[in-house]
Amino acid sequence: MQVTVVVPVYNEERTVVTLLKRVLAAGMNLKEIVVVDDGSKDATREKVAELAAVDPRVRLLPQRQNGGKGLALRAGFAAATGDIVVVQDADLEYDPAELPRLLQP
């Protein structure tokens, strides 16, 4: 089973690259990370685009304006192509290393 991780982001330029690298290294059958940029006003979108240019598992889904986390999640779920979809917030409140454990059951 392949996993899609949906990451809604808004103005997370300080943590987004660290978060994405941790998800990529989490040790699961990762198909893709769908990063939904919810109209960030900082360099979040550019940082994600740089990483997406070197790792095809990272997909940037830019939104024209901020619509809130719920809309960002719905957009990410609609774009997901993995068998299992999980959500990871970009602020590092939750450790991406825990994702494989979450998927065990």
Side-chain angles (χ1 to χ4, degrees), residues 68-99:
K69 185 176 180 179
L71 285 176
L73 287 174
R74 285 194 287 277
F77 296 156
T81 62
D83 302 307
I84 298 172
V85 179
V86 296
V87 175
Q88 172 70 54
D89 288 339
D91 62 6
L92 291 170
E93 180 178 352
Y94 299 106
D95 186 355
E98 297 291 322
L99 288 172

Side-chain angles (χ1 to χ4, degrees), residues 19-96:
L19 174 275
L20 294 174
K21 287 181 178 181
R22 288 184 185 177
V23 172
L24 290 166
M28 61 185 150
N29 193 14
L30 181 68
K31 181 171 188 178
E32 64 192 349
I33 304 171
V34 178
V35 182
V36 183
D37 179 64
D38 195 27
S40 292
K41 305 292 186 208
D42 64 2
T44 298
R45 187 174 297 188
E46 292 79 8
K47 290 181 179 267
V48 174
E50 288 173 11
L51 188 56
V54 297
D55 193 319
R57 295 174 295 174
V58 178
R59 294 178 46 208
L60 175 61
L61 188 60
Q63 305 297 294
R64 290 188 175 180
Q65 63 185 34
N66 182 273
K69 185 176 180 179
L71 285 176
L73 287 174
R74 285 194 287 277
F77 296 156
T81 62
D83 302 307
I84 298 172
V85 179
V86 296
V87 175
Q88 172 70 54
D89 288 339
D91 62 6
L92 291 170
E93 180 178 352
Y94 299 106
D95 186 355

